[in-house]
Every structure is written in C-alpha cells, then in structure tokens.
Amino acid sequence: MLSRVAASFYWLSRYIERSDGMLRMLKINYASSQDTIQEFTWAPVIRIFAGQGEEETERLDNNTRAVLKYMVTGKDNPNSILNIITLSRENARGVQEHIPKDLWQCLNEYYHTVKDPKIEKALQREDPIGVLDILIKQVMLYYGTAEITMERGEGRSFMNIGKYLERAIQSVDILDTKFGSVSDNPDLLTDTSYWKHLLLSLGGYELYLKTYREGFEASNILEQVVLNNDFPRSVIYSVNNIQRYFDRLKNNSNADDFRELSFQIGRLQSRIKYSSVRSIEQDGLHQYLTQIRKELYGIGNALNAHYFANS
C-alpha cells in the first residue's frame, strides 16, 4: 500500500474517533452544568480537546454556549468538530477508490450535517443535547458502516490503529486532567456526581456499576479506565488492539520497520499489562500517565517515520 494511502486511512480514522470523544464529553458536561448550583467551569474540556492557552481558556471558561460553538462549529478552532471532520473527509476523498461507496456517503453526510448552519443556530438557541445526539449518531452510523463494509485488508488495519491510538490518548488525557483536579480540590474525591460524569463521558458508567458494588472509588475508576480488558475505552484494550492490527501489517518488504515499531508497541503493552492500581499509585498517577502518553505519541511518530514518510 502506498504511504499516502496508508496515512489517509490512519488520519481519517483518528479524526472521527476524536470527534466521538469530544461530542460525548460535551454532552455529559453540558448536562452536568445544568445540575450544578455553582459556576460551572469548562476549562478541563477545553484543555483536553482544544489545547488552547490559558488566556483563551479563561475567555471561554464559564460561557457554556460560547464553548459549544467554539468546540463544535468554531472555524477559528483547529480542533473543532467542523474542522476535524472536514480534514477527515479530505483524507477519505484521497482514498475514495479504496473505501466502499456506503462509507464515503456516510462520512459525507456527517460532514454536511455538522456544516449545516442550522446546527450552530440550534446549539445557541435550543437544547444542545438534542444537537449533540444528532452528531453522535452520525459517528455511530459511520462505525457501523465501516464494520460491515470495509475490506479486511491493510486499509482497515491502518484505520483501526489510528482509532485505538486516538482513543488511548483521550482516555489518558481525561484521567490525567480529572485526577489532577482532585489533587487541587480534595473535596471532589467524595463527590459521586464528579465520578459518575467522568464514567459517563467515557461510556463506562454501566460497566462500572456491574463490576463494583461499593460505590464510586477513585482506585476502582482508575482500574477500569487503565487496566480493564473488557472496557472498550480502557488504555489496555486500546493498546491491545493497536498491537492486534499492527501485527497484520507484517510482510517481507517491511521487516525492519515492522520489528522496530512492534517492539515499541509491545513494550507499552507490557508496561500496562503488568501494572496494578497499587503500583500505579506508588509510582504516582501523573508520572505514570505522562509516560504512557509519551509512548503513545512515540508510536504515532514512528508510524509517521516508517510508514507515512513518503506521503
């Protein structure tokens, strides 16, 4: 497969996964902002998904409607849903002859939905939950269509590597930010709504209730989001799938590149697999997550160097 084509598959999938994480986080945080009697801060969400400086974060912080506009349809925000879905569509256009027509139409519909001026108006004037649900359903439609129409070849492997790499980075960033807030404000440690919203934003609330009977405990949430092999948004689940789909790229023409990157993925997989909540807490959660994030970015950089460099 040409490096340009591989890179397009990888990036279109990363952008779609990023949009999914953002939409779910915005939905849960909007609901949370309606429940609280105190002034609600959007700063953690802006820092995780927009990467803006403190000045821009402070400008938006307590203005819910301004945050929704900036994060969903903001043309001046490089990481808005509108801008990343535009990039995803451009990547898909570049490989249009390699993807099923149904998948292209699905992505095209997502693009035109988020681009529709009615979306921005509805976000500002109506209940944003309904608007965010429309966009979340577009992502779910995309994933369902990709699952049943994509050929099980290299293109799908690059798509899934991109999806799970993006998902792992998101889970690490969310955990690091949320537990960092607890360090700054210890009262949050016993705030059940705080932990509930964290789990809801990751789609892990129901699994948590089935797994743990003793209520919300920070250590249990850490275990589920980092170490639970059955949780689709856990870090270990994502890294296992990066390894699984990367293994399918092995062939005689790329043995050296494959061996080097496979070592990096395997090292990260082992680091997480042989961790425990106790060992993570002993090492320091922030230091642990910082190292995991560094290795995930290292894998992304190695993919770029070894597989996409000529794109």
Side-chain angles (χ1 to χ4, degrees), residues 76-132:
D76 56 340
N77 173 12
N79 272 314
S80 70
I81 301 291
L82 174 62
N83 282 331
I84 62 175
I85 293 307
T86 299
L87 290 172
S88 183
R89 182 171 176 263
E90 288 174 2
N91 278 287
R93 187 193 295 280
V95 293
Q96 199 171 343
E97 68 273 24
H98 298 280
I99 61 176
K101 184 179 178 182
D102 286 344
L103 192 62
W104 166 252
Q105 289 178 336
C106 190
L107 183 55
N108 218 24
E109 185 178 322
Y110 186 11
Y111 167 75
H112 285 293
T113 300
V114 73
K115 192 170 178 285
D116 190 335
K118 292 178 183 175
I119 288 289
E120 185 169 320
K121 289 180 182 176
L123 277 174
Q124 298 304 306
R125 298 174 185 172
E126 300 173 13
D127 178 13
I129 297 288
V131 180
L132 296 170

Short mmCIF file of all heavy atoms in Angstrom, two decimals, residues 76-132:
data_model
loop_
_atom_site.label_atom_id
_atom_site.label_comp_id
_atom_site.label_asym_id
_atom_site.label_seq_id
_atom_site.Cartn_x
_atom_site.Cartn_y
_atom_site.Cartn_z
N ASP A 76 -12.42 29.07 13.81
CA ASP A 76 -11.10 29.52 14.26
C ASP A 76 -10.47 28.54 15.24
O ASP A 76 -9.37 28.78 15.74
CB ASP A 76 -11.21 30.90 14.92
CG ASP A 76 -12.21 30.93 16.06
OD1 ASP A 76 -13.08 30.03 16.12
OD2 ASP A 76 -12.12 31.83 16.92
N ASN A 77 -11.16 27.43 15.54
CA ASN A 77 -10.60 26.39 16.41
C ASN A 77 -10.16 25.21 15.54
O ASN A 77 -11.01 24.49 15.00
CB ASN A 77 -11.66 25.95 17.42
CG ASN A 77 -11.20 24.75 18.25
OD1 ASN A 77 -10.03 24.38 18.23
ND2 ASN A 77 -12.13 24.13 18.96
N PRO A 78 -8.85 24.96 15.40
CA PRO A 78 -8.39 23.87 14.53
C PRO A 78 -8.93 22.51 14.94
O PRO A 78 -9.00 21.60 14.11
CB PRO A 78 -6.86 23.91 14.71
CG PRO A 78 -6.56 25.26 15.26
CD PRO A 78 -7.75 25.67 16.06
N ASN A 79 -9.30 22.36 16.22
CA ASN A 79 -9.80 21.07 16.69
C ASN A 79 -11.31 21.05 16.86
O ASN A 79 -11.84 20.19 17.56
CB ASN A 79 -9.14 20.72 18.03
CG ASN A 79 -7.83 19.98 17.83
OD1 ASN A 79 -7.75 19.05 17.02
ND2 ASN A 79 -6.80 20.40 18.53
N SER A 80 -12.03 21.99 16.25
CA SER A 80 -13.50 21.93 16.34
C SER A 80 -13.98 20.71 15.55
O SER A 80 -13.30 20.22 14.64
CB SER A 80 -14.13 23.20 15.79
OG SER A 80 -13.96 23.29 14.39
N ILE A 81 -15.19 20.24 15.89
CA ILE A 81 -15.76 19.11 15.16
C ILE A 81 -15.82 19.43 13.67
O ILE A 81 -15.47 18.60 12.82
CB ILE A 81 -17.19 18.79 15.69
CG1 ILE A 81 -17.17 18.46 17.19
CG2 ILE A 81 -17.80 17.65 14.89
CD1 ILE A 81 -16.52 17.17 17.54
N LEU A 82 -16.25 20.65 13.34
CA LEU A 82 -16.36 21.04 11.93
C LEU A 82 -15.02 20.90 11.22
O LEU A 82 -14.93 20.32 10.12
CB LEU A 82 -16.85 22.49 11.84
CG LEU A 82 -16.88 23.10 10.43
CD1 LEU A 82 -17.83 22.32 9.52
CD2 LEU A 82 -17.29 24.57 10.48
N ASN A 83 -13.95 21.40 11.83
CA ASN A 83 -12.65 21.39 11.15
C ASN A 83 -12.04 19.99 11.06
O ASN A 83 -11.43 19.64 10.05
CB ASN A 83 -11.69 22.35 11.86
CG ASN A 83 -11.96 23.79 11.49
OD1 ASN A 83 -12.44 24.08 10.40
ND2 ASN A 83 -11.69 24.71 12.39
N ILE A 84 -12.20 19.17 12.11
CA ILE A 84 -11.57 17.85 12.03
C ILE A 84 -12.37 16.91 11.12
O ILE A 84 -11.79 16.04 10.48
CB ILE A 84 -11.32 17.21 13.43
CG1 ILE A 84 -12.62 16.99 14.18
CG2 ILE A 84 -10.36 18.04 14.24
CD1 ILE A 84 -12.40 16.26 15.51
N ILE A 85 -13.70 17.11 11.04
CA ILE A 85 -14.47 16.27 10.11
C ILE A 85 -14.20 16.71 8.67
O ILE A 85 -14.19 15.90 7.75
CB ILE A 85 -15.98 16.33 10.44
CG1 ILE A 85 -16.20 15.64 11.80
CG2 ILE A 85 -16.82 15.62 9.38
CD1 ILE A 85 -15.63 14.24 11.90
N THR A 86 -13.93 18.00 8.48
CA THR A 86 -13.52 18.46 7.14
C THR A 86 -12.20 17.78 6.74
O THR A 86 -12.04 17.31 5.61
CB THR A 86 -13.34 19.99 7.14
OG1 THR A 86 -14.59 20.60 7.47
CG2 THR A 86 -12.90 20.49 5.77
N LEU A 87 -11.24 17.72 7.70
CA LEU A 87 -9.96 17.04 7.41
C LEU A 87 -10.17 15.55 7.17
O LEU A 87 -9.54 14.96 6.28
CB LEU A 87 -9.00 17.26 8.59
CG LEU A 87 -8.47 18.67 8.79
CD1 LEU A 87 -7.70 18.78 10.10
CD2 LEU A 87 -7.57 19.07 7.62
N SER A 88 -11.06 14.95 7.96
CA SER A 88 -11.33 13.52 7.79
C SER A 88 -11.91 13.25 6.39
O SER A 88 -11.52 12.30 5.72
CB SER A 88 -12.31 13.05 8.87
OG SER A 88 -12.53 11.67 8.77
N ARG A 89 -12.81 14.12 5.97
CA ARG A 89 -13.42 13.96 4.64
C ARG A 89 -12.39 14.15 3.54
O ARG A 89 -12.41 13.45 2.52
CB ARG A 89 -14.55 14.99 4.49
CG ARG A 89 -15.32 14.91 3.18
CD ARG A 89 -16.53 15.81 3.28
NE ARG A 89 -17.29 15.89 2.04
CZ ARG A 89 -17.15 16.86 1.15
NH1 ARG A 89 -16.26 17.81 1.33
NH2 ARG A 89 -17.90 16.88 0.06
N GLU A 90 -11.45 15.08 3.73
CA GLU A 90 -10.40 15.29 2.73
C GLU A 90 -9.52 14.04 2.61
O GLU A 90 -9.11 13.65 1.53
CB GLU A 90 -9.56 16.50 3.09
CG GLU A 90 -10.30 17.82 2.88
CD GLU A 90 -9.51 19.02 3.38
OE1 GLU A 90 -8.37 18.82 3.86
OE2 GLU A 90 -10.04 20.15 3.32
N ASN A 91 -9.23 13.43 3.78
CA ASN A 91 -8.45 12.18 3.74
C ASN A 91 -9.22 11.07 3.05
O ASN A 91 -8.66 10.28 2.29
CB ASN A 91 -8.07 11.76 5.17
CG ASN A 91 -6.86 12.50 5.69
OD1 ASN A 91 -5.73 12.24 5.28
ND2 ASN A 91 -7.08 13.45 6.60
N ALA A 92 -10.53 11.00 3.33
CA ALA A 92 -11.36 9.97 2.69
C ALA A 92 -11.45 10.21 1.18
O ALA A 92 -11.44 9.26 0.40
CB ALA A 92 -12.75 9.97 3.32
N ARG A 93 -11.51 11.49 0.78
CA ARG A 93 -11.58 11.79 -0.65
C ARG A 93 -10.32 11.28 -1.36
O ARG A 93 -10.36 10.79 -2.49
CB ARG A 93 -11.72 13.29 -0.87
CG ARG A 93 -11.96 13.67 -2.32
CD ARG A 93 -11.77 15.16 -2.53
NE ARG A 93 -12.75 15.94 -1.81
CZ ARG A 93 -14.01 16.15 -2.23
NH1 ARG A 93 -14.41 15.61 -3.36
NH2 ARG A 93 -14.84 16.89 -1.52
N GLY A 94 -9.18 11.39 -0.65
CA GLY A 94 -7.92 10.94 -1.24
C GLY A 94 -7.84 9.44 -1.44
O GLY A 94 -7.01 8.96 -2.22
N VAL A 95 -8.66 8.70 -0.71
CA VAL A 95 -8.64 7.23 -0.85
C VAL A 95 -10.03 6.71 -1.26
O VAL A 95 -10.39 5.57 -0.96
CB VAL A 95 -8.19 6.54 0.46
CG1 VAL A 95 -6.74 6.86 0.76
CG2 VAL A 95 -9.08 6.93 1.64
N GLN A 96 -10.78 7.57 -1.96
CA GLN A 96 -12.17 7.24 -2.25
C GLN A 96 -12.31 5.94 -3.03
O GLN A 96 -13.27 5.19 -2.87
CB GLN A 96 -12.82 8.39 -3.04
CG GLN A 96 -14.34 8.36 -2.99
CD GLN A 96 -14.95 9.64 -3.58
OE1 GLN A 96 -14.26 10.65 -3.73
NE2 GLN A 96 -16.23 9.58 -3.90
N GLU A 97 -11.30 5.66 -3.89
CA GLU A 97 -11.37 4.43 -4.68
C GLU A 97 -11.05 3.19 -3.85
O GLU A 97 -11.23 2.06 -4.32
CB GLU A 97 -10.42 4.50 -5.89
CG GLU A 97 -8.94 4.49 -5.56
CD GLU A 97 -8.37 5.87 -5.27
OE1 GLU A 97 -9.12 6.78 -4.87
OE2 GLU A 97 -7.16 6.02 -5.43
N HIS A 98 -10.59 3.40 -2.58
CA HIS A 98 -10.23 2.26 -1.73
C HIS A 98 -11.27 1.99 -0.65
O HIS A 98 -11.10 1.06 0.14
CB HIS A 98 -8.87 2.52 -1.04
CG HIS A 98 -7.73 2.68 -1.99
ND1 HIS A 98 -7.08 1.61 -2.58
CD2 HIS A 98 -7.12 3.79 -2.46
CE1 HIS A 98 -6.12 2.05 -3.35
NE2 HIS A 98 -6.11 3.38 -3.31
N ILE A 99 -12.28 2.84 -0.54
CA ILE A 99 -13.28 2.61 0.50
C ILE A 99 -14.65 2.38 -0.14
O ILE A 99 -14.91 2.85 -1.25
CB ILE A 99 -13.37 3.82 1.49
CG1 ILE A 99 -13.77 5.11 0.76
CG2 ILE A 99 -12.06 4.00 2.23
CD1 ILE A 99 -13.96 6.30 1.69
N PRO A 100 -15.52 1.65 0.55
CA PRO A 100 -16.86 1.38 -0.02
C PRO A 100 -17.64 2.68 -0.21
O PRO A 100 -17.48 3.63 0.56
CB PRO A 100 -17.52 0.50 1.05
CG PRO A 100 -16.41 -0.04 1.89
CD PRO A 100 -15.34 1.00 1.86
N LYS A 101 -18.49 2.67 -1.22
CA LYS A 101 -19.32 3.85 -1.51
C LYS A 101 -20.18 4.22 -0.30
O LYS A 101 -20.36 5.40 0.02
CB LYS A 101 -20.20 3.56 -2.72
CG LYS A 101 -21.03 4.74 -3.17
CD LYS A 101 -21.85 4.37 -4.41
CE LYS A 101 -22.73 5.55 -4.84
NZ LYS A 101 -23.58 5.19 -6.00
N ASP A 102 -20.70 3.20 0.40
CA ASP A 102 -21.56 3.46 1.57
C ASP A 102 -20.80 4.24 2.64
O ASP A 102 -21.36 5.11 3.31
CB ASP A 102 -22.06 2.14 2.16
CG ASP A 102 -23.14 1.51 1.31
OD1 ASP A 102 -23.71 2.21 0.45
OD2 ASP A 102 -23.42 0.31 1.50
N LEU A 103 -19.52 3.90 2.82
CA LEU A 103 -18.73 4.57 3.86
C LEU A 103 -18.45 6.02 3.48
O LEU A 103 -18.52 6.92 4.33
CB LEU A 103 -17.42 3.80 4.10
CG LEU A 103 -16.64 4.22 5.34
CD1 LEU A 103 -17.45 3.97 6.60
CD2 LEU A 103 -15.30 3.49 5.43
N TRP A 104 -18.15 6.24 2.21
CA TRP A 104 -17.92 7.62 1.74
C TRP A 104 -19.19 8.45 1.93
O TRP A 104 -19.14 9.59 2.41
CB TRP A 104 -17.49 7.60 0.27
CG TRP A 104 -17.57 8.95 -0.38
CD1 TRP A 104 -18.48 9.36 -1.32
CD2 TRP A 104 -16.76 10.10 -0.11
NE1 TRP A 104 -18.28 10.67 -1.65
CE2 TRP A 104 -17.22 11.16 -0.92
CE3 TRP A 104 -15.69 10.34 0.75
CZ2 TRP A 104 -16.66 12.42 -0.91
CZ3 TRP A 104 -15.11 11.62 0.77
CH2 TRP A 104 -15.59 12.64 -0.06
N GLN A 105 -20.34 7.89 1.55
CA GLN A 105 -21.60 8.62 1.68
C GLN A 105 -21.90 8.93 3.15
O GLN A 105 -22.41 9.99 3.49
CB GLN A 105 -22.75 7.81 1.07
CG GLN A 105 -22.69 7.75 -0.45
CD GLN A 105 -23.80 6.91 -1.06
OE1 GLN A 105 -24.34 6.03 -0.40
NE2 GLN A 105 -24.12 7.18 -2.31
N CYS A 106 -21.57 7.97 4.02
CA CYS A 106 -21.79 8.13 5.45
C CYS A 106 -20.96 9.29 6.00
O CYS A 106 -21.45 10.15 6.73
CB CYS A 106 -21.42 6.82 6.14
SG CYS A 106 -21.89 6.76 7.83
N LEU A 107 -19.69 9.32 5.64
CA LEU A 107 -18.80 10.38 6.10
C LEU A 107 -19.21 11.73 5.50
O LEU A 107 -19.18 12.77 6.17
CB LEU A 107 -17.36 10.04 5.72
CG LEU A 107 -16.28 11.02 6.18
CD1 LEU A 107 -16.33 11.25 7.68
CD2 LEU A 107 -14.90 10.49 5.79
N ASN A 108 -19.65 11.69 4.24
CA ASN A 108 -20.11 12.90 3.57
C ASN A 108 -21.35 13.47 4.28
O ASN A 108 -21.47 14.69 4.45
CB ASN A 108 -20.46 12.55 2.12
CG ASN A 108 -20.06 13.65 1.17
OD1 ASN A 108 -19.16 14.44 1.47
ND2 ASN A 108 -20.72 13.71 0.04
N GLU A 109 -22.22 12.60 4.71
CA GLU A 109 -23.44 13.04 5.42
C GLU A 109 -23.07 13.67 6.77
O GLU A 109 -23.65 14.68 7.17
CB GLU A 109 -24.37 11.85 5.62
CG GLU A 109 -25.70 12.25 6.25
CD GLU A 109 -26.63 11.06 6.40
OE1 GLU A 109 -26.65 10.20 5.51
OE2 GLU A 109 -27.31 10.99 7.43
N TYR A 110 -22.11 13.05 7.46
CA TYR A 110 -21.64 13.61 8.73
C TYR A 110 -21.10 15.03 8.51
O TYR A 110 -21.43 15.97 9.24
CB TYR A 110 -20.56 12.68 9.29
CG TYR A 110 -20.04 13.02 10.68
CD1 TYR A 110 -20.65 13.96 11.50
CD2 TYR A 110 -18.92 12.35 11.18
CE1 TYR A 110 -20.16 14.25 12.77
CE2 TYR A 110 -18.42 12.62 12.45
CZ TYR A 110 -19.04 13.59 13.23
OH TYR A 110 -18.55 13.87 14.49
N TYR A 111 -20.30 15.19 7.45
CA TYR A 111 -19.71 16.49 7.13
C TYR A 111 -20.80 17.54 6.86
O TYR A 111 -20.77 18.65 7.41
CB TYR A 111 -18.79 16.34 5.91
CG TYR A 111 -18.37 17.63 5.27
CD1 TYR A 111 -17.41 18.45 5.85
CD2 TYR A 111 -18.94 18.03 4.04
CE1 TYR A 111 -17.03 19.64 5.25
CE2 TYR A 111 -18.56 19.21 3.44
CZ TYR A 111 -17.61 20.01 4.05
OH TYR A 111 -17.24 21.19 3.45
N HIS A 112 -21.77 17.18 6.04
CA HIS A 112 -22.81 18.15 5.69
C HIS A 112 -23.74 18.43 6.87
O HIS A 112 -24.27 19.54 6.99
CB HIS A 112 -23.62 17.64 4.49
CG HIS A 112 -22.88 17.76 3.20
ND1 HIS A 112 -22.57 18.98 2.63
CD2 HIS A 112 -22.35 16.82 2.37
CE1 HIS A 112 -21.90 18.80 1.50
NE2 HIS A 112 -21.74 17.48 1.33
N THR A 113 -23.89 17.46 7.77
CA THR A 113 -24.72 17.69 8.97
C THR A 113 -24.07 18.72 9.87
O THR A 113 -24.72 19.66 10.33
CB THR A 113 -24.92 16.37 9.74
OG1 THR A 113 -25.57 15.43 8.89
CG2 THR A 113 -25.78 16.60 10.98
N VAL A 114 -22.78 18.54 10.18
CA VAL A 114 -22.10 19.47 11.09
C VAL A 114 -21.89 20.83 10.44
O VAL A 114 -21.80 21.86 11.11
CB VAL A 114 -20.76 18.87 11.60
CG1 VAL A 114 -19.70 18.87 10.53
CG2 VAL A 114 -20.26 19.63 12.82
N LYS A 115 -21.83 20.86 9.10
CA LYS A 115 -21.62 22.11 8.36
C LYS A 115 -22.92 22.91 8.20
O LYS A 115 -22.89 24.12 7.94
CB LYS A 115 -21.05 21.77 6.97
CG LYS A 115 -20.51 22.93 6.18
CD LYS A 115 -19.77 22.39 4.96
CE LYS A 115 -19.23 23.54 4.11
NZ LYS A 115 -20.29 24.20 3.36
N ASP A 116 -24.05 22.26 8.40
CA ASP A 116 -25.35 22.91 8.22
C ASP A 116 -25.51 24.08 9.22
O ASP A 116 -25.36 23.88 10.43
CB ASP A 116 -26.46 21.88 8.46
CG ASP A 116 -27.83 22.40 8.07
OD1 ASP A 116 -28.02 23.63 8.07
OD2 ASP A 116 -28.71 21.57 7.78
N PRO A 117 -25.80 25.30 8.73
CA PRO A 117 -25.96 26.45 9.64
C PRO A 117 -27.01 26.23 10.73
O PRO A 117 -26.95 26.85 11.79
CB PRO A 117 -26.40 27.58 8.69
CG PRO A 117 -25.89 27.17 7.35
CD PRO A 117 -25.96 25.68 7.31
N LYS A 118 -27.96 25.32 10.48
CA LYS A 118 -28.99 25.04 11.48
C LYS A 118 -28.39 24.45 12.76
O LYS A 118 -28.92 24.64 13.84
CB LYS A 118 -30.02 24.06 10.90
CG LYS A 118 -30.86 24.63 9.78
CD LYS A 118 -31.82 23.57 9.23
CE LYS A 118 -32.63 24.12 8.05
NZ LYS A 118 -33.46 23.05 7.44
N ILE A 119 -27.28 23.72 12.62
CA ILE A 119 -26.63 23.11 13.79
C ILE A 119 -26.13 24.21 14.73
O ILE A 119 -26.35 24.16 15.94
CB ILE A 119 -25.48 22.19 13.35
CG1 ILE A 119 -26.03 20.92 12.69
CG2 ILE A 119 -24.56 21.85 14.52
CD1 ILE A 119 -26.70 19.95 13.66
N GLU A 120 -25.45 25.21 14.17
CA GLU A 120 -24.92 26.29 15.01
C GLU A 120 -26.04 27.08 15.66
O GLU A 120 -25.97 27.41 16.85
CB GLU A 120 -24.03 27.22 14.17
CG GLU A 120 -23.35 28.28 15.02
CD GLU A 120 -22.26 29.02 14.24
OE1 GLU A 120 -21.54 28.35 13.47
OE2 GLU A 120 -22.15 30.24 14.41
N LYS A 121 -27.09 27.36 14.90
CA LYS A 121 -28.23 28.10 15.46
C LYS A 121 -28.88 27.30 16.59
O LYS A 121 -29.23 27.84 17.63
CB LYS A 121 -29.25 28.39 14.36
CG LYS A 121 -28.79 29.44 13.36
CD LYS A 121 -29.85 29.68 12.30
CE LYS A 121 -29.36 30.69 11.26
NZ LYS A 121 -30.34 30.87 10.16
N ALA A 122 -29.04 25.98 16.37
CA ALA A 122 -29.68 25.14 17.38
C ALA A 122 -28.83 25.06 18.64
O ALA A 122 -29.35 25.05 19.75
CB ALA A 122 -29.92 23.74 16.81
N LEU A 123 -27.50 25.01 18.47
CA LEU A 123 -26.61 24.96 19.63
C LEU A 123 -26.74 26.22 20.49
O LEU A 123 -26.59 26.17 21.70
CB LEU A 123 -25.15 24.82 19.18
CG LEU A 123 -24.65 23.43 18.84
CD1 LEU A 123 -23.23 23.51 18.28
CD2 LEU A 123 -24.69 22.50 20.04
N GLN A 124 -27.03 27.33 19.85
CA GLN A 124 -27.10 28.61 20.56
C GLN A 124 -28.48 28.88 21.15
O GLN A 124 -28.60 29.59 22.15
CB GLN A 124 -26.71 29.75 19.61
CG GLN A 124 -25.28 29.66 19.09
CD GLN A 124 -24.25 29.59 20.21
OE1 GLN A 124 -24.21 30.44 21.09
NE2 GLN A 124 -23.43 28.54 20.20
N ARG A 125 -29.53 28.31 20.53
CA ARG A 125 -30.88 28.70 20.94
C ARG A 125 -31.70 27.56 21.54
O ARG A 125 -32.64 27.80 22.28
CB ARG A 125 -31.63 29.26 19.73
CG ARG A 125 -30.99 30.51 19.15
CD ARG A 125 -31.68 30.93 17.88
NE ARG A 125 -31.01 32.05 17.24
CZ ARG A 125 -31.32 32.52 16.04
NH1 ARG A 125 -32.30 31.97 15.35
NH2 ARG A 125 -30.65 33.54 15.52
N GLU A 126 -31.38 26.32 21.19
CA GLU A 126 -32.21 25.20 21.63
C GLU A 126 -31.46 24.36 22.65
O GLU A 126 -30.40 24.76 23.13
CB GLU A 126 -32.60 24.35 20.40
CG GLU A 126 -33.38 25.15 19.36
CD GLU A 126 -33.61 24.33 18.09
OE1 GLU A 126 -33.38 23.11 18.10
OE2 GLU A 126 -33.99 24.95 17.08
N ASP A 127 -32.03 23.18 22.96
CA ASP A 127 -31.36 22.27 23.89
C ASP A 127 -30.18 21.62 23.18
O ASP A 127 -30.37 20.83 22.24
CB ASP A 127 -32.35 21.20 24.35
CG ASP A 127 -31.69 20.20 25.28
OD1 ASP A 127 -30.57 20.47 25.75
OD2 ASP A 127 -32.30 19.13 25.53
N PRO A 128 -28.95 21.90 23.61
CA PRO A 128 -27.77 21.36 22.90
C PRO A 128 -27.70 19.83 22.92
O PRO A 128 -27.07 19.24 22.04
CB PRO A 128 -26.59 21.96 23.67
CG PRO A 128 -27.15 23.14 24.38
CD PRO A 128 -28.57 22.79 24.70
N ILE A 129 -28.33 19.20 23.91
CA ILE A 129 -28.26 17.74 24.00
C ILE A 129 -28.79 17.09 22.72
O ILE A 129 -28.19 16.15 22.19
CB ILE A 129 -29.06 17.22 25.22
CG1 ILE A 129 -28.47 17.75 26.53
CG2 ILE A 129 -29.12 15.70 25.21
CD1 ILE A 129 -27.17 17.13 26.92
N GLY A 130 -29.92 17.61 22.23
CA GLY A 130 -30.51 17.06 21.01
C GLY A 130 -29.58 17.20 19.82
O GLY A 130 -29.45 16.28 19.00
N VAL A 131 -28.90 18.36 19.72
CA VAL A 131 -27.97 18.60 18.61
C VAL A 131 -26.77 17.67 18.71
O VAL A 131 -26.33 17.06 17.71
CB VAL A 131 -27.50 20.07 18.61
CG1 VAL A 131 -26.54 20.32 17.46
CG2 VAL A 131 -28.69 21.01 18.55
N LEU A 132 -26.22 17.53 19.92
CA LEU A 132 -25.05 16.66 20.10
C LEU A 132 -25.42 15.21 19.82
O LEU A 132 -24.61 14.45 19.26
CB LEU A 132 -24.50 16.83 21.52
CG LEU A 132 -23.95 18.23 21.84
CD1 LEU A 132 -23.64 18.36 23.33
CD2 LEU A 132 -22.70 18.53 21.02
#
